Amino acid sequence: MSNPASVLVCGRDYPRDWNQFLDWFADDEACLSYLEQLRWPEGFVCPRCGEEAEPYRSTRGRLMCRACRYQGTATAGTMLDKTRTPLRTWFAAAWYLTNQKHGVSALGLQRVLGIGSYQTSWAMLHRFRSAMIRPGRERLSGTVEVDESYVWMRDPSKLLTGAKLKNHTSRSLVAIAVEIQAPKGFGRIRLRHVPRDSERYLLPFICEAVEPGSRVHTDGLAAYRSLSDHGYVHHRRVHLGSTDPAHVSMPGVHRVASLLKRWLLGTHQGAVQPNQLDSYLDEFTFRFNRRTSRSRGLLFYRLLEQAVMTHPVTYRRIAARKA
Ligand SMILES: [Zn+2]
């Protein structure tokens, strides 16, 4: 957590390639000690009493606090706690998930790792997605474009073709915020599934996603009218009567929306249940915001780091890091 990307070293902090991965993570004990490093980079902190002394160690990665005799492993209280799937399989899934440029489907993961059931594979992916969004992450800043776009999905629980398929597709509205860099290029993004394009849903999204004081570019939608009352420098670009198409006046959101749609249709064949959309948006955001990561291994590191995050220690560290 305290390691900014600049000091993380490929081949020391995360595996260089699959061969090194196999070397490092030969068994669950090796995985546990790696997670211990990620969870307590400055040394063990007792989750129960806060004691910071080196713990007693017993077999199978169990640690015991010298002060209060608390016992647990590095996964206690995290999303990897009490899982029946071996940690090695979790690690391999994290590696596979972060090494595929566009992500993986539950079926793909099940096949590659030889996981017993589709449900297990799906549940693993789902848990990793939930780890992809850091609690307390910083808001976007500078110049930010905000807009909404519809995405189309079909319910994967219904195997349908032809005309029937058409009747079971649904559309969902996604709010999109994109940092615009000068002179060109895009920074980070935030996405959220919203029921409607009204102020009631879009304003909270912007307030949580964008730092006050930022320049916010929107179209002429009434929902954005009060932005300047909330501390933003608001630039409205009214399309009506303008000859500029959307990809000219709002290049950032236009680009992100089309990448998102392609990703949902390509990697996931559009088979996303509407109530799961938010976790897919989290995965897309995680990938997009780390698209320039030099090594896929660094993504693996970040994903596992976030998987062993727990409140409230985590939040304090994130706040201190401001990375
Ligand atoms: Zn303790």
Side-chain angles (χ1 to χ4, degrees), residues 152-156 263-273:
W152 292 86
M153 293 163 301
R154 66 180 168 80
D155 191 333
W263 182 73
L264 285 172
L265 285 175
T267 305
H268 304 292
Q269 285 88 51
V272 174
Q273 282 166 341

Side-chain angles (χ1 to χ4, degrees), residues 44 46-51 65-70:
F44 175 76
C46 174
R48 188 199 280 159
C49 75
E51 174 76 14
C65 171
R66 283 171 193 266
C68 75
R69 307 265 146 177
Y70 160 90

Side-chain angles (χ1 to χ4, degrees), residues 109-155:
L109 187 70
Q110 187 194 358
R111 282 181 186 148
V112 163
L113 298 183
I115 295 169
S117 77
Y118 176 84
Q119 283 72 18
T120 304
S121 167
W122 188 89
M124 290 176 81
L125 275 181
H126 196 64
R127 276 210 229 175
F128 273 130
R129 279 193 196 103
S130 72
M132 285 181 178
I133 292 305
R134 293 190 313 223
R137 59 192 181 157
E138 3 28 269
R139 289 179 282 191
L140 308 184
S141 58
T143 299
V144 179
E145 283 178 11
V146 178
D147 205 353
E148 335 79 46
S149 186
Y150 281 103
V151 296
W152 292 86
M153 293 163 301
R154 66 180 168 80
D155 191 333

Side-chain angles (χ1 to χ4, degrees), residues 3-309:
N3 298 330
S6 56
V7 301
L8 290 174
V9 178
C10 177
R12 185 195 70 188
D13 296 298
Y14 50 87
R16 183 178 296 118
D17 51 31
W18 180 241
N19 278 333
Q20 194 163 46
F21 177 99
L22 293 174
D23 253 19
W24 286 16
F25 307 120
D27 53 33
D28 272 24
E29 220 161 313
C31 298
L32 262 181
S33 81
Y34 186 75
L35 292 175
E36 190 187 326
Q37 282 295 314
L38 291 179
R39 183 168 178 181
W40 298 296
E42 280 124 50
F44 175 76
V45 180
C46 174
R48 188 199 280 159
C49 75
E51 174 76 14
E52 293 187 17
E54 174 62 20
Y56 297 114
R57 289 167 187 280
S58 65
T59 51
R60 286 179 288 120
R62 287 193 85 74
L63 310 169
M64 185 166 83
C65 171
R66 283 171 193 266
C68 75
R69 307 265 146 177
Y70 160 90
Q71 282 190 58
T73 66
T75 59
T78 73
M79 67 165 238
L80 297 174
D81 199 5
K82 300 189 179 80
T83 164
R84 272 192 276 170
T85 305
L87 280 177
R88 282 196 76 199
T89 307
W90 280 100
F91 272 50
W95 182 262
Y96 184 59
L97 183 60
T98 48
N99 274 269
Q100 302 298 307
K101 190 164 178 234
H102 300 294
V104 294
S105 65
L107 194 60
L109 187 70
Q110 187 194 358
R111 282 181 186 148
V112 163
L113 298 183
I115 295 169
S117 77
Y118 176 84
Q119 283 72 18
T120 304
S121 167
W122 188 89
M124 290 176 81
L125 275 181
H126 196 64
R127 276 210 229 175
F128 273 130
R129 279 193 196 103
S130 72
M132 285 181 178
I133 292 305
R134 293 190 313 223
R137 59 192 181 157
E138 3 28 269
R139 289 179 282 191
L140 308 184
S141 58
T143 299
V144 179
E145 283 178 11
V146 178
D147 205 353
E148 335 79 46
S149 186
Y150 281 103
V151 296
W152 292 86
M153 293 163 301
R154 66 180 168 80
D155 191 333
S157 62
K158 301 185 178 73
L159 285 171
L160 300 163
T161 51
K164 278 187 177 169
L165 174 67
K166 227 171 195 176
N167 295 334
H168 283 84
T169 52
S170 60
R171 58 177 203 170
S172 297
L173 192 61
V174 176
I176 303 171
V178 185
E179 281 178 339
I180 305 300
Q181 292 171 338
K184 62 179 206 146
F186 310 128
R188 298 166 301 158
I189 63 167
R190 295 283 183 263
L191 304 173
R192 182 181 294 176
H193 177 203
V194 289
R196 273 189 298 285
D197 64 349
S198 63
E199 184 178 51
R200 182 177 163 200
Y201 300 108
L202 292 172
L203 193 59
F205 167 67
I206 293 174
C207 291
E208 281 158 44
V210 186
E211 199 68 43
S214 306
R215 294 157 57 94
V216 178
H217 293 201
T218 71
D219 60 19
L221 193 72
Y224 299 120
R225 220 169 263 162
S226 69
L227 273 183
S228 42
D229 301 337
H230 289 82
Y232 298 102
V233 183
H234 187 200
H235 291 250
R236 289 175 75 195
R237 294 178 175 184
V238 183
H239 295 310
L240 217 68
S242 153
T243 51
D244 281 354
H247 67 271
V248 175
S249 60
M250 299 275 253
V253 284
H254 185 83
R255 175 89 182 123
V256 169
S258 69
L259 286 173
L260 172 65
K261 286 170 195 177
R262 205 185 303 165
W263 182 73
L264 285 172
L265 285 175
T267 305
H268 304 292
Q269 285 88 51
V272 174
Q273 282 166 341
N275 62 357
Q276 302 293 343
L277 179 59
D278 272 314
S279 66
Y280 286 87
L281 297 180
D282 287 350
E283 178 179 351
F284 183 85
T285 302
F286 180 87
R287 292 179 182 283
F288 187 91
N289 289 350
R290 290 162 183 78
R291 65 198 180 283
T292 55
S293 286
R294 293 173 314 279
S295 162
R296 310 308 296 176
L298 186 58
L299 278 181
F300 168 80
Y301 179 97
R302 291 293 181 215
L303 182 57
L304 285 181
E305 179 184 59
Q306 288 176 211
V308 290
M309 265 190 177

